[in-house]
């Protein structure tokens, strides 16, 4: 079942929830690409793989590198996924896409578990400062 989100609903989501939605959208696009390749619909497969690639790029751009080593590791995973999506798109290799789906599935599972736990260790004062900075940087 496809869930359509309105702009208002998206604006009510936390950044963490939006990240979860991006993971899900990337996964869905990769699954659709496999189906299109199986049906020899390579142009449509290309479109889905490009969408997945765009999502990974956006996820990478959103990494908070102040989070430490985990941010660096996540960046490496995103780069790996991006490279594999390009490889899969070039060769239309379903096995490469399945490999990406496996890695993405593990990231999604971990992210969703952390989201459910909702244990935020960052002090509220620092959050407010970061939030103000983020709001100001949007307009620069």
């Amino acid at each position: 079942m496809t869930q359509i989100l309105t702009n208002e609903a998206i604006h009510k989501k936390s950044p963490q929830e939006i990240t979860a939605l991006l993971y899900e959208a990337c996964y869905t696009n990769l699954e659709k690409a496999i189906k299109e390749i199986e049906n020899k619909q390579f142009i449509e497969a290309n479109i889905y793989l490009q969408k997945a690639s765009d999502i990974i790029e956006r996820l990478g751009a959103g990494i908070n590198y102040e989070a430490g080593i985990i941010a660096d590791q996540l960046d490496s995973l995103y780069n790996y996924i991006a490279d594999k999506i390009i490889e899969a798109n070039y060769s239309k290799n379903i096995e490469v896409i399945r490999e990406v789906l496996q890695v993405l599935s593990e990231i999604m599972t971990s992210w969703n578990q952390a989201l459910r736990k909702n244990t935020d260790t960052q002090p509220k004062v620092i959050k407010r400062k970061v939030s103000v900075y983020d709001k100001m940087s949007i307009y620069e």
Side-chain angles (χ1 to χ4, degrees), residues 17-31:
E17 291 170 323
I18 291 172
T19 299
L21 290 173
L22 287 171
Y23 285 140
E24 186 177 323
C26 186
Y27 196 93
T28 300
N29 279 297
L30 292 169
E31 286 181 321

Side-chain angles (χ1 to χ4, degrees), residues 1 5 15 26 37 90 110 131 139:
M1 179 166 110
L5 294 174
C26 186
I37 292 169
Y90 181 74
S110 298
S131 179
Y139 301 105

Side-chain angles (χ1 to χ4, degrees), residues 132-140:
V132 169
Y133 173 77
D134 287 344
K135 289 177 186 174
M136 301 285 279
S137 65
I138 292 172
Y139 301 105
E140 291 178 352

Side-chain angles (χ1 to χ4, degrees), residues 85-133:
I85 290 173
I86 291 169
E87 177 186 336
N89 200 2
Y90 181 74
S91 64
K92 300 299 187 266
N93 186 329
I94 291 174
E95 290 310 310
V96 174
I97 299 171
R98 287 192 176 122
E99 179 184 339
V100 171
L101 284 170
Q102 179 61 39
V103 172
L104 188 59
S105 176
E106 291 176 25
I107 296 170
M108 285 173 53
T109 300
S110 298
W111 187 265
N112 288 330
Q113 286 174 350
L115 195 57
R116 278 192 298 276
K117 270 190 174 179
N118 198 19
T119 54
D120 193 351
T121 59
Q122 190 178 37
K124 289 182 182 182
V125 174
I126 292 174
K127 266 195 205 171
R128 273 184 260 148
K129 288 180 182 178
V130 170
S131 179
V132 169
Y133 173 77

